[in-house]
Amino acid sequence: MLGIVTGLVFEADILRPYEGTGLRVRAAGLATGAAAAAAEALIAEGATALVSFGIAGGLDPVLAPGDIIVTATVIGERTIVGDELWARRLSGLEGAKDLKIAHTPAVLSTVGQKAALFRKSGASAADMESYGVADVAVRRGLPFIALRAVADTAHDAVPSVGIASMGPDGRVRMGAAVLGAVTHPWQIPGLMRL
């Protein structure tokens, strides 16, 4: 069985129609360690390979919104390399790119934060979940890849209203989103682009 970990519920909902066809999806939420815990739970349920799936923030200025990254390499405290052959096979499909992903413990909200992580890591994009999933997979001897779509580019600041509306469980808190839009209307265009 293929175990797929997402951070956000809406990411998991994309794949839910396919559950029961050899894959199981778990939305981990955004708390520290949540992705690793979700990966362990999927292994306990019978997963024999792990995928980190969802959106990522672009670090490399050449990436555009919607660019697809498939990788076995995640850079954090150390560089973790999963199943490179699997990543290479998938990166040839539909224009996906085999590029490295960096770990970030929080959403990178400014262009400066993204540029700094790009310089430090050399990775093309960043997310909060792939490192934890990769770490569990490698420790357990299971194949791992990350499949991520670029949401915000290296040139995009992420509106604070968007960050504040995400709950630690990975769900959009609609009340916070509406309140944020009402009290920070200048951020609405940025939210719409995101």
Side-chain angles (χ1 to χ4, degrees):
M1 175 182 73
L2 180 61
I4 301 176
V5 177
T6 71
L8 304 173
V9 171
F10 83 82
E11 295 166 328
D13 288 346
I14 294 167
L15 298 173
R16 292 226 191 271
Y18 305 102
E19 281 192 303
T21 60
L23 66 87
R24 181 157 299 157
V25 183
R26 188 169 293 238
L30 304 177
T32 302
E40 290 286 3
L42 285 166
I43 292 169
E45 294 169 14
T48 57
L50 294 171
V51 175
S52 172
F53 176 84
I55 59 174
L59 302 179
D60 187 334
V62 304
L63 291 176
D67 280 350
I68 304 297
I69 296 172
V70 180
T71 188
T73 305
V74 184
I75 301 166
E77 292 177 10
R78 67 185 201 286
T79 298
I80 300 174
V81 180
D83 191 326
E84 293 177 295
L85 180 58
W86 187 15
R88 272 195 304 276
R89 284 181 181 157
L90 291 178
S91 67
L93 304 175
E94 298 296 322
K97 299 168 172 63
D98 187 355
L99 302 169
K100 296 174 185 170
I101 290 180
H103 172 70
T104 180
V107 175
L108 300 173
S109 60
T110 69
V111 172
Q113 290 171 332
K114 293 177 183 184
L117 187 54
F118 183 48
R119 282 190 304 274
K120 178 182 175 185
S121 69
S124 297
D127 72 32
M128 297 169 58
E129 298 82 30
S130 293
Y131 188 81
V133 179
D135 183 54
V136 168
V138 169
R139 280 190 293 104
R140 299 294 214 100
L142 298 179
F144 161 82
I145 61 166
L147 174 60
R148 294 283 169 163
V150 174
D152 50 297
T153 71
H155 309 289
D156 297 322
V158 178
S160 62
V161 170
I163 296 169
S165 66
M166 295 309 305
D169 62 354
R171 295 184 187 284
V172 175
R173 300 178 325 173
M174 289 307 294
V178 171
L179 180 62
V182 169
T183 58
H184 299 80
W186 58 90
Q187 289 189 11
I188 293 174
L191 286 170
M192 298 300 288
R193 279 192 306 277
L194 183 62

